Amino acid sequence: MTVETLNEMMTYVIEGWVLLSTAYLGVGFTASFLSRVKQGLKVRAEDMAKASVAEEVTNAERVAEVTAVAEKYGKSTDKQSVKSSVAVPGQ
């Protein structure tokens, strides 16, 4: 083998090694990035679920308050209607 042939072969070996190393690092960074994105999405989904549960609890509390006020109002109007239905003498 001549020196020129060895130089050409070593050039190909080095270029191949650089390409493989770059590809390996690229795959590693891509996997790391996707893992972080997945983790971020999972955290975001958990936060949304917590917010949804909190909103449902708040809505349930509001419904309970409205129901209590409606029942109270219903009782007070029943009392008023009973009082107003009494016949007044002289009319």
Side-chain angles (χ1 to χ4, degrees):
M1 279 194 168
T2 64
V3 173
E4 290 176 4
T5 309
L6 285 174
N7 281 340
E8 188 177 346
M9 188 165 52
M10 286 307 293
T11 302
Y12 290 135
V13 168
I14 291 172
E15 286 177 357
W17 178 79
V18 168
L19 287 173
L20 286 175
S21 297
T22 305
Y24 178 76
L25 290 174
V27 168
F29 285 129
T30 302
S32 174
F33 174 75
L34 291 177
S35 174
R36 288 182 185 174
V37 168
K38 182 180 175 184
Q39 184 179 9
L41 290 175
K42 189 182 291 186
V43 168
R44 189 171 177 193
E46 289 172 357
D47 290 345
M48 289 176 67
K50 289 177 185 176
S52 176
V53 168
E55 185 177 336
E56 288 180 22
V57 168
T58 303
N59 287 342
E61 290 172 350
R62 287 181 186 161
V63 167
E65 289 175 5
V66 169
T67 304
V69 169
E71 288 176 356
K72 194 174 194 180
Y73 178 74
K75 288 179 182 177
S76 67
T77 49
D78 287 344
K79 290 178 184 176
Q80 288 176 359
S81 65
V82 169
K83 288 180 183 177
S84 65
S85 66
V86 174
V88 178
Q91 283 186 358

